[in-house]
Amino acid sequence: MTIQHDILKARLLGLLIIITLCALAFQHYGPERTLIVGQDSGLYFEAIDDRGNGGKSVATLSRDGEKFILDCDIIASEYAWPYCEISFNLADQKGKGKDLTNYERVTLYAKYSEPQTFGVRFQLINYNPAYARKGEDNSLKYNAIELFDTHERYPQVIDMSHMQVPTWWLSQGKIPPEFWGPEFNEVRGVQIATGEQVKPGKYQMIIERIEISGKYISDRTLYLLLLAIWTLAAMSFFISTLHKANIEVMLNKQRQHQLEALNRLLNQEHKELEERLTRDPLTGVFNRDGLAPIFQLGFDSDVTPLLSLIFIDIDHFKKVNDTYGHPIGDQVLLAFAQTLSANTRTHDLLARWGGEEFVLACPDTSLENALGLAEKLRRAIEESEWPKQLKLTASFGVAQMMEGESPTDFIARADKALYVAKAQGRNCVRASNQGPATLVAVK
């Protein structure tokens, strides 16, 4: 009977693996749903210009086969942000928009007839009763992105997670923080407009179509569903195995030895889990807990070891997150940690201290050598290439452990040096060589 149960469980496990692999393969290679916005989509569309806002620009719309031709005469006026645009209405007869939450990307077939230095602005207009007011179009949320080089990058593919809500809209509507991010749960309009830096003159935009695509089920939903299935299966297998083990423990010692071997395996996995808990999940370097042993070794002895600390902080990192979003910010943090690791020695310990701040512990390293290493890292960061062609710099605070000094005071001196580096213009190295009041500049 026991063998039959084991065979049944093995078959169920095999079936579950096959289902999981098929689901993942279908999600990756399977068909997608696509919403096409264009002349044959049956949607109401119109040309809009800034005259409704007190401007003088004139937008006219015509057709060339399957394409829309938007002719725009940008005329300077008292209105500071002249524009022309084509707007497609996605709302149904009852005025309800489309739910595009599970859609992932937009393929935009739109460009100027001649290359321009300014971009094409793409917007998805979303309704939410929490902030939208009846009869006020500007109270609908603008999920926007501006695209450049439309000739060289035609068509342009937009990851919807990269779209942002304009600051002017948040300020104008006094929107609470919980609604600052993009929303696509009830999109009522799709708009293609001239960019923010458009100058007075005559322009022509060619719009072929817009394709909004995504999976029938989002990756997140699929993974949660598979996780739930595997969790239930694991619980079932665990309960069954535990019951069987308890019976066998009472029958013979051989079963006991098998359980002991299983316990040793679980202990090993626990140790591996503890190792993972000392790592920062984003960058892979140590976290604060992972750096703790170096301080224990340094301060549990009567002899003061040769140990230096380098505090490192990315300059103006908040601006990166505010401008490009947290996904790009995470990419920058990962690349920053990799750059630091690639330019340090094998016995140095790198840890993410918090946010955009990192700490490099340098055993057997004097203050002078630590300063040289910090300057090397500063140049490497300044000269490296970063996502979105960012120009990135960092500030450094360096300290060497003194005799009789507590861990708190040691760390505080290095952190104080970092504070001075940021206060004195950033992108520089500052060192504390004796105490909190004694700082040395290095550049």
Side-chain angles (χ1 to χ4, degrees):
M1 193 70 175
T2 301
I3 296 178
Q4 292 178 345
H5 284 167
D6 289 343
I7 293 175
L8 178 60
K9 288 192 291 184
R11 289 176 177 175
L12 290 176
L13 179 61
L15 178 61
L16 189 56
I17 292 174
I18 292 174
I19 292 174
T20 301
L21 293 176
C22 289
L24 293 175
F26 183 83
Q27 183 72 1
H28 189 270
Y29 299 105
E32 295 182 327
R33 55 180 176 176
T34 301
L35 172 65
I36 298 179
V37 178
Q39 290 195 15
D40 296 331
S41 59
L43 301 174
Y44 173 77
F45 56 87
E46 62 178 334
I48 303 175
D49 51 46
D50 57 40
R51 285 178 290 179
N53 296 305
K56 297 180 180 181
S57 301
V58 178
T60 57
L61 193 62
S62 60
R63 299 187 182 185
D64 181 8
E66 297 297 322
K67 300 176 182 178
F68 292 99
I69 307 297
L70 180 65
D71 288 295
C72 180
D73 187 2
I74 297 293
I75 300 175
S77 66
E78 294 181 357
Y79 183 65
W81 301 281
Y83 67 91
C84 296
E85 71 181 28
I86 180 172
S87 177
F88 296 89
N89 183 15
L90 295 188
D92 58 21
Q93 294 180 350
K94 296 182 180 180
K96 184 175 179 59
K98 291 187 178 295
D99 185 0
L100 303 182
T101 303
N102 289 331
Y103 286 77
E104 302 170 354
R105 64 185 177 279
V106 176
T107 304
L108 184 63
Y109 293 83
K111 62 182 179 180
Y112 292 104
S113 59
E114 298 292 337
Q116 304 295 338
T117 57
F118 52 89
V120 171
R121 189 167 70 253
F122 176 76
Q123 301 177 148
L124 295 175
I125 312 302
N126 193 78
Y127 170 82
N128 187 327
Y131 48 74
R133 296 177 294 276
K134 187 176 181 180
E136 297 184 24
D137 291 341
N138 279 343
S139 68
L140 301 179
K141 176 175 284 187
Y142 289 77
N143 303 285
I145 190 169
E146 186 160 344
L147 307 170
F148 299 88
D149 301 327
T150 54
H151 275 72
E152 298 179 3
R153 303 176 182 178
Y154 183 87
Q156 295 232 28
V157 179
I158 305 166
D159 188 331
M160 292 173 62
S161 65
H162 294 166
M163 300 185 73
Q164 299 180 348
V165 181
T167 304
W168 68 262
W169 183 86
L170 297 173
S171 175
Q172 173 182 286
K174 299 180 179 179
I175 305 300
E178 59 265 29
F179 298 110
W180 284 0
E183 291 182 82
F184 308 104
N185 59 303
E186 190 178 335
V187 177
R188 294 189 173 183
V190 178
Q191 297 177 347
I192 303 174
T194 50
E196 292 187 0
Q197 302 299 323
V198 62
K199 304 296 183 182
K202 296 181 181 294
Y203 307 98
Q204 186 178 81
M205 190 185 299
I206 304 171
I207 303 98
E208 184 176 345
R209 66 184 183 277
I210 306 159
E211 296 179 358
I212 307 175
S213 306
K215 299 292 185 181
Y216 286 91
I217 179 173
S218 68
D219 290 345
R220 173 183 172 84
T221 302
L222 175 64
Y223 297 152
L224 289 177
L225 179 61
L226 290 176
L227 179 61
I229 293 174
W230 275 98
T231 300
L232 291 175
M235 291 176 60
S236 176
F237 275 74
F238 175 76
I239 293 173
S240 175
T241 302
L242 182 61
H243 177 68
K244 175 182 175 182
N246 288 334
I247 294 175
E248 291 181 347
V249 164
M250 292 184 295
L251 293 177
N252 56 69
K253 291 184 178 181
Q254 184 180 5
R255 298 293 186 183
Q256 179 66 37
H257 295 326
Q258 292 176 350
L259 288 176
E260 290 174 352
L262 178 61
N263 286 334
R264 288 193 296 270
L265 177 61
L266 292 176
N267 288 334
Q268 179 62 32
E269 291 178 349
H270 178 69
K271 292 179 180 178
E272 294 174 358
L273 177 60
E274 288 182 339
E275 169 66 16
R276 290 196 295 269
L277 292 177
T278 62
R279 295 282 179 175
D280 176 52
L282 173 62
T283 62
V285 302
F286 285 115
N287 55 24
R288 291 195 182 194
D289 292 336
L291 202 60
I294 193 69
F295 294 109
Q296 293 174 357
L297 293 175
F299 297 98
D300 290 347
S301 173
D302 294 333
V303 179
T304 302
L306 188 59
L307 175 65
S308 293
L309 281 183
I310 304 175
F311 268 64
I312 311 163
D313 187 87
I314 303 175
D315 296 333
H316 306 296
F317 182 74
K318 182 178 182 300
K319 184 177 180 181
V320 175
N321 279 334
D322 292 345
T323 304
Y324 300 99
H326 288 281
I328 296 300
D330 288 347
Q331 292 181 25
V332 170
L333 287 173
L334 177 57
F336 187 83
Q338 292 172 343
T339 300
L340 293 177
S341 298
N343 288 276
T344 54
R345 304 163 300 184
T346 56
H347 62 279
D348 295 331
L349 297 179
L350 177 64
R352 185 180 177 191
W353 200 248
E356 67 272 21
E357 190 173 16
F358 292 76
V359 173
L360 186 65
C362 305
D364 300 322
T365 304
S366 65
L367 178 65
E368 180 180 0
N369 290 336
L371 289 172
L373 177 57
E375 179 60 16
K376 173 187 174 183
L377 294 173
R378 187 196 67 79
R379 292 196 302 269
I381 292 166
E382 189 177 40
E383 296 169 2
S384 295
E385 295 183 358
W386 303 98
K388 296 291 183 181
Q389 288 77 49
L390 289 169
K391 296 297 183 182
L392 208 65
T393 61
S395 301
F396 296 75
V398 186
Q400 179 183 337
M401 186 173 65
M402 300 189 304
E403 183 177 358
E405 188 176 41
S406 69
T408 301
D409 292 340
F410 182 28
I411 293 171
R413 283 199 302 112
D415 190 53
K416 174 66 175 179
L418 173 62
Y419 176 83
V420 172
K422 293 193 291 184
Q424 293 182 357
R426 296 182 171 86
N427 191 24
C428 61
V429 178
R430 296 293 182 265
S432 173
N433 65 347
Q434 292 182 1
T438 304
L439 292 168
V440 178
V442 177
K443 189 67 171 72

